[in-house]
Every structure is written in C-alpha cells, then in structure tokens.
Amino acid sequence: MSDKPVPQPGILTIAPYVPGRSSAPGKKAGDTIKLSANESPLGASPKAIEAVRAAAEKLEIYPEGSSRDLRAALGEVHGIDPERIVVGAGSDEVLHLLAQTYIGDGDEAVMSQYGFMVYPIITRAAGGTPVVAPETDYCADVDAILAAVTDKTKIVFLANPNNPTGTYLSAEALDRLHAGLPSNVLLVIDSAYAEYVTAADYGVGISLVERSENVVMVRTFSKMGLAAARVGWLFGPAHLVDAVNRIRGPFNVSVLGQVAAEAATRDVAFTKALREHNDKWRVWLSQEISSNRLRVLPSQGNFVLVLFDDAEAAKAANGALLERGLVVREMGGYGIANGLRISIGSEAAMKAVATAFKDFMESK
C-alpha cells in the first residue's frame, strides 16, 4: 500500500504539454514580437470586445449551461443544427471530452506522425495507447493511417490543416479515409485552422459529419482572436452529442467566453479580413524565406514551418531571431528538430522576420 495517493496507470508516462516561448531573453515586453502561438495578428473582433464589456456588468450570474445562444449563432452562420453542437473551454476541452467518452483501458487511438501534441496526452489520460502513423513528406498519409487501425482502435485523430506542418488532406482524401474506417471507429476532424484555408479542394468536415454516424468536427475560436476567452466547439451526430454532454461540466464555458464567441461568429467581415491578411502575408513570407535557401512547407494555417539542413542550424537561427526580439516556435517537441514554426503576424512583424532570416543566411 502506498503512503500517498497514486495517479491512475499511465498518467505519469505522459509528457506534459510545453507551450512555445512568449518572450525573448533579455528583452522588454515592448521589444518583443510573439510569433510562437498562432494568435490573431488583427486582435479580436471589435464586436466581441464590445460584447465582453457589456457582459462584465453581470459577473455574479452563472453562464447558460449549454451555451445556447452561441450554438444558435454557430448554427445560423455555418448552416448546421445547433442541437448537434457541443461547446467547451477551448477545443482542448472538447478533445478531452471525446477521449474520455470513447477511449478506455486497452484501447488505441491513431494519429499522424506530426499531429497535434494534445492527442497522445488525452489518449493516455483516458487509459488508451497512442498509435502513430507515419506521414509522407510532412503530410498525413491516408493509407498509413488506415494500416494503423486495429480491432483496438476507437478514435482516429486528424488535424486538417495540421499543426505544426500546415499541410492538409483534400475533401476527396478525407472521404477516402472515412470510407476505409470500420463504422465503430470515430474519426475526429480537428479543423482548428479552417478559417484560414484558401485551398479550393479543402473540406472542413461538415458534410462528412452530416452523412455519417462516426465523424465529428472540432473547431476553436483561439485562432480567430479569442485565445484568452478559451472557447471551442464540436459538430457531430446526435448520439455523440448526447454521450459527450453526459460528462461535460454544466457551466464549462464562461459568460465572457460565450458572448465573445457569439459576437465573433456573427462578425463574418472580421473573419474574412483575418483570412485575407493571413493569405497575403503567408504567401509573401514563404516566398521571402524560401529565396534564402530554406524550405518552407506549403501551409493552409496561420503559420509556416521552415525547415533547415539540421537541428543545429535551426537552433542558431532561433537564437538570431531571439536577439531581435522575434519569438517563434521551436519544433523539437514535435520531432522536427530542424524546424521553426512562425505565426503570421503584422506586416511589420513579417518584414522583420524576413530581414532576420536574410541576415542570418548571409552570415553563414
């Protein structure tokens, strides 16, 4: 018998999630440009900010337990049934709820090689085993994922577009993946970066959810300027919504989060401005960095992944950026030690990054 409480089996095998840097060593806050967390370069929707200010007058009141008004707004804007939506404290909570609902001891969850680091964490926390499918040139491979599925598989996690690579599967490839899965395996399409996608053959996952019983789409407001509010949501079949709601906390999303997300949902003009700004500077930065003998993966997110010859070169480049107060994301934790992920920021930030890369490459 232990002389202290003992965590459930598997908990202590989990490597804690480590977020990217938020500051540069020796730099004051005003001298730092944070490009490590894929945050909105245009801030939050003014309508969301206004809604939060109004709601701050009633902080003594509990939030509506099901995020009813937010679900109604999501239903109207996306053309989906609000009764098939569950809202959580960020997409992280939604993903945790899915894992808790469908994964147990001895079960497996399949994920791609460079998928979101939260997937193995929530799988192990639920008592399951993560199974990693190799990618092809930093892109999820449908055949590899299907080959990794066994009788023990309960969930397939797919970030589309993927973080941190920015690559994606087309709607056709997504359909092929779903068609190859057993009907009792849940396909979780994590569309966290959907608002930034410009590829014509992309499918966000809504139509696949609507015609299937084993597909769920997960979204977030964090990349749309509401990272501090912590709001995410899912759209899934009725039976899944019923199951997840049985373990969801009754007041899991704050009043401020709900009203901010509802206003942001309806502010389609702001979302459009975010996508257009991102598209312009994502293309520009990719071209500028690529011209300096570095590989930039084609991205459909609000970031780009830059690949160097080796880990030492990436480390040196990161140091050069930090000296200028430019904070980007090192990729060693994702198994891409020769990579740096750079969020798309303001025009000034992108030009500063391009100049820093040029100077760094010329110094080598």
Side-chain angles (χ1 to χ4, degrees):
M1 179 181 294
S2 174
D3 60 354
K4 58 186 176 183
V6 178
Q8 289 284 352
I11 295 295
L12 296 183
T13 67
I14 297 173
Y17 181 87
V18 180
R21 294 175 182 265
S22 59
S23 61
K27 299 287 184 181
K28 297 179 180 179
D31 298 326
T32 298
I33 299 176
K34 183 184 175 189
L35 301 168
S36 59
N38 301 340
E39 296 155 333
S40 163
L42 303 183
S45 158
K47 294 181 179 179
I49 295 172
E50 181 181 346
V52 168
R53 286 174 175 157
E57 299 294 328
K58 298 181 179 180
L59 294 183
E60 75 281 9
I61 306 298
Y62 274 108
E64 197 283 320
S66 72
S67 300
R68 180 188 57 233
D69 293 343
L70 171 54
R71 288 188 297 109
L74 289 167
E76 292 173 19
V77 171
H78 295 283
I80 56 181
D81 182 359
E83 295 300 316
R84 293 174 59 180
I85 296 173
V86 178
V87 181
S91 60
D92 286 353
E93 188 199 17
V94 173
L95 291 166
H96 271 278
L97 289 171
L98 289 169
Q100 291 171 39
T101 303
Y102 291 100
I103 298 174
D105 291 345
D107 293 335
E108 296 177 349
V110 176
M111 56 209 68
S112 61
Q113 182 178 1
Y114 301 119
F116 187 29
M117 289 175 64
V118 163
Y119 303 153
I121 291 175
I122 60 178
T123 298
R124 292 188 187 280
T129 300
V131 176
V132 178
E135 297 189 3
T136 299
D137 196 22
Y138 299 96
C139 186
D141 185 311
V142 171
D143 294 322
I145 292 173
L146 293 176
V149 173
T150 70
D151 291 341
K152 295 181 179 181
T153 305
K154 293 297 185 289
I155 291 181
V156 170
F157 289 108
L158 178 73
N160 199 41
N162 185 53
N163 170 31
T165 61
T167 55
Y168 76 103
L169 292 183
S170 67
E172 181 180 1
L174 205 57
D175 285 344
R176 187 165 73 85
L177 172 60
H178 174 250
L181 292 175
S183 60
N184 66 326
V185 173
L186 178 64
L187 174 59
V188 177
I189 305 171
D190 185 353
S191 304
Y193 295 90
E195 282 76 16
Y196 291 101
V197 175
T198 56
D201 60 349
Y202 175 74
V204 71
I206 288 176
S207 64
L208 193 53
V209 172
E210 290 181 327
R211 63 180 189 269
S212 310
E213 290 295 320
N214 64 331
V215 182
V216 61
M217 176 191 70
V218 176
R219 303 280 284 271
T220 183
F221 286 91
S222 294
K223 314 308 173 187
M224 299 169 59
L226 300 182
R230 307 307 301 130
V231 186
W233 58 285
L234 67 77
F235 174 59
H239 67 85
L240 178 144
V241 169
D242 174 67
V244 170
N245 273 329
R246 292 171 185 266
I247 63 170
R248 178 184 60 81
F251 306 113
N252 62 324
V253 181
S254 71
V255 169
L256 302 185
Q258 288 186 33
V259 299
E262 180 187 353
T265 297
R266 298 188 186 281
D267 194 355
V268 294
F270 180 79
T271 302
K272 181 174 182 288
L274 266 179
R275 182 169 55 253
E276 290 175 347
H277 173 93
N278 185 76
D279 184 39
K280 175 180 179 179
W281 292 103
R282 181 177 65 195
V283 171
W284 184 88
L285 184 65
S286 297
Q287 292 174 342
E288 288 293 312
I289 295 179
S290 296
S291 67
N292 285 309
R293 308 187 308 280
L294 297 169
R295 185 185 180 194
V296 181
L297 294 183
S299 174
Q300 287 294 315
N302 66 340
F303 57 88
V304 295
L305 181 63
V306 184
L307 299 176
F308 296 79
D309 289 337
D310 51 45
E312 286 303 311
K315 182 178 180 180
N318 186 58
L321 291 168
L322 287 172
E323 288 180 3
R324 302 191 184 202
L326 298 168
V327 182
V328 302
R329 186 74 145 94
E330 296 173 277
M331 289 285 100
Y334 276 93
I336 311 176
N338 65 321
L340 295 177
R341 192 193 67 193
I342 306 169
S343 303
I344 301 303
S346 66
E347 175 180 350
M350 296 298 90
K351 290 183 176 179
V353 168
T355 298
F357 267 96
K358 180 180 179 181
D359 292 346
F360 172 76
M361 294 304 293
E362 288 180 349
S363 69
K364 291 179 70 64

